[in-house]
Amino acid sequence: QVQMVESGGGLVQPGASLSLSCVFSGRTFSDLAAGWFRQAPGKEREFVACISWSSANTFYAEFAKGRFTISRDNAKNTVFLHMDNLDSEDTAVYYCAAGKIYGAAWYRQSPPAISEYDYWGQGTQVTVSS
């Protein structure tokens, strides 16, 4: 009964900005961490960013640091990903995810592993091309 549904993907030109949204339903969302992952053709799914339940802590992949911003609105059961200065290498299917990630995980050098996420959306296509 739990669902996560992404929206906001599409075709944009290099240098453009794009905002993605993901709505969670079927369970309490406010006690879950949330994250974004992406998968390009011929490549493995990779971490983009994640955020704690209170928004007090975040992690970003190196390619996303300073360029992408993750945020959430627990009253709307929604997590967002805003992307600036998109490049062709950002072309991928983008997935939202959520999981029970607490405590010490937010004080480590690396973000939580993909295996820590319990719930996943079906993905939204982002294509960056001139």
Side-chain angles (χ1 to χ4, degrees):
Q1 60 181 340
V2 172
Q3 285 191 313
M4 301 188 75
V5 181
E6 303 94 338
S7 63
L11 174 64
V12 298
Q13 295 184 336
S17 297
L18 195 64
S19 292
L20 307 180
S21 299
C22 176
V23 179
F24 182 96
S25 63
R27 185 198 183 281
T28 301
F29 178 64
S30 59
D31 64 345
L32 298 175
W36 288 92
F37 293 77
R38 70 184 189 184
Q39 188 165 21
K43 297 183 179 180
E44 296 184 354
R45 190 169 300 189
E46 65 177 344
F47 171 78
V48 177
C50 63
I51 187 167
S52 63
W53 70 270
S54 66
S55 299
N57 299 284
T58 59
F59 280 106
Y60 290 92
E62 286 301 313
F63 65 80
K65 191 89 173 182
R67 192 162 62 98
F68 293 1
T69 303
I70 188 170
S71 62
R72 66 190 295 164
D73 185 341
N74 288 342
K76 297 180 179 180
N77 296 331
T78 303
V79 61
F80 306 92
L81 182 70
H82 180 74
M83 302 180 287
D84 285 323
N85 195 27
L86 287 164
D87 183 81
S88 61
E89 293 187 3
D90 296 314
T91 295
V93 176
Y94 283 71
Y95 299 88
C96 61
K100 296 181 284 293
I101 303 171
Y102 301 113
W106 302 106
Y107 300 94
R108 295 167 181 162
Q109 296 297 310
S110 300
I114 192 170
S115 61
E116 296 296 320
Y117 295 87
D118 302 309
Y119 311 108
W120 291 86
Q122 294 299 307
T124 185
Q125 177 71 48
V126 173
T127 302
V128 185
S129 177
S130 60

